[in-house]
Amino acid sequence: MNTLALGPSWLDPDHLIGQFGLLGVLVIVFAESGLLIGFFLPGDSLLFTTGLLVTTDKLHTPLWLVCVLVALAAIIGDQVGYLFGRKVGPSLFKRPDSRLFKQENVEKAHEFFEKYGPKSLILARFVPVVRTFTPIIAGVSRMNYRSFITFNIIGGVLWGVGVTLLGAGLGQIEFVRKNIEAMLVLIVLISVVPIAIEFLRARSKAKKEAAAQGEDRSPLAGGGNPAPGQRGRHAKR
């Protein structure tokens, strides 16, 4: 099956599954769930495609086994991320930017974790990039381990099993089976939407902050020269 190219072939879910099979899926899910280098991987579209290919007999592994293995990979990935965060600690926030690491991704995950607390481990599963860094931030924050493992398991099952079953369920619809390529392109586009929304929010926030700084520096903000009329009155005194 050939899908429309929306990016590098090595990021195309169908290509990845065709080349590496279920093992490749598990490795990617593990990496995206807790390794710093995994944030760019196509987790959502990959799981959806996996379920779709199982239903259409293009991936010869029982659906129940796929779901169990995917959930385990997601849970173990978050576990590794948490332990990494505990070991690295606050130094993670001082790490310089590189081609594969951006400090802003850590800050976004930290804000997400601070806003939603422990349940962020569940919600973040469905947000690209954030899901990679959230378990690491949980480790940095020294989140109670019992709470972490509980929310980690819930999130791993809901995301890993849920998205896979969604693909499998839609794969049973005749229209979907006849238009698999279009469906794969659609799910990739949908998985990009949260990233686009986050980008627009960050851009809007940056503009507002720049505007606020501009107002603070204006003469009327209290630190500039007095108005002409005021200058005249001071001169008369």
Side-chain angles (χ1 to χ4, degrees):
M1 188 193 337
N2 294 318
T3 58
L4 295 175
L6 294 179
S9 61
W10 51 273
L11 283 179
D12 176 60
D14 184 53
H15 173 78
L16 290 170
I17 296 173
Q19 291 292 317
F20 305 105
L22 180 59
L23 179 60
V25 173
L26 299 178
V27 170
I28 289 174
V29 169
F30 169 80
E32 194 187 12
S33 295
L35 301 184
L36 288 176
I37 61 173
F39 69 92
F40 62 89
L41 296 172
D44 297 311
S45 55
L46 185 69
L47 293 182
F48 182 90
T49 304
T50 299
L52 192 63
L53 295 181
V54 169
T55 303
T56 54
D57 296 324
K58 291 181 172 59
L59 187 61
H60 305 291
T61 305
L63 182 60
W64 70 267
L65 180 58
V66 171
C67 290
V68 170
L69 293 177
V70 165
L72 285 175
I75 292 169
I76 295 172
D78 261 28
Q79 176 70 30
V80 171
Y82 175 84
L83 294 176
F84 175 78
R86 285 189 69 108
K87 183 177 181 180
V88 172
S91 62
L92 180 65
F93 292 90
K94 301 177 183 178
R95 181 172 176 172
D97 286 351
S98 64
R99 181 173 297 181
L100 293 178
F101 178 85
K102 299 296 181 184
Q103 190 61 236
E104 63 177 331
N105 292 331
V106 177
E107 294 172 357
K108 288 178 182 177
H110 183 261
E111 291 175 2
F112 194 87
F113 184 77
E114 289 294 319
K115 181 177 181 180
Y116 296 105
K119 65 181 180 181
S120 63
L121 292 167
I122 298 175
L123 300 175
R125 288 286 189 179
F126 300 89
V127 184
V129 180
V130 174
R131 67 167 152 258
T132 301
F133 291 93
T134 298
I136 299 175
I137 298 301
V140 173
S141 303
R142 301 280 174 172
M143 178 181 176
N144 179 272
Y145 183 72
R146 182 174 295 181
S147 296
F148 170 81
I149 196 64
T150 299
F151 286 96
N152 178 21
I153 292 174
I154 295 173
V157 171
L158 288 178
W159 178 66
V161 176
V163 178
T164 303
L165 289 179
L166 177 62
L170 292 179
Q172 297 177 2
I173 302 175
E174 184 177 357
F175 174 81
V176 175
R177 295 172 73 97
K178 291 182 178 180
N179 298 275
I180 292 180
E181 293 183 11
M183 291 303 301
L184 294 181
V185 172
L186 179 61
I187 194 63
V188 171
L189 291 174
I190 291 176
S191 67
V192 172
V193 170
I195 300 177
I197 293 175
E198 184 62 28
F199 171 77
L200 293 175
R201 285 179 177 175
R203 187 175 180 180
S204 176
K205 182 179 179 181
K207 287 183 177 179
K208 289 180 180 179
E209 290 178 349
Q213 291 177 357
E215 291 178 356
D216 291 341
R217 294 172 183 171
S218 65
L220 297 179
N225 295 324
Q230 294 176 328
R231 188 183 298 119
R233 287 195 295 270
H234 287 299
K236 292 179 180 180
R237 292 177 186 176

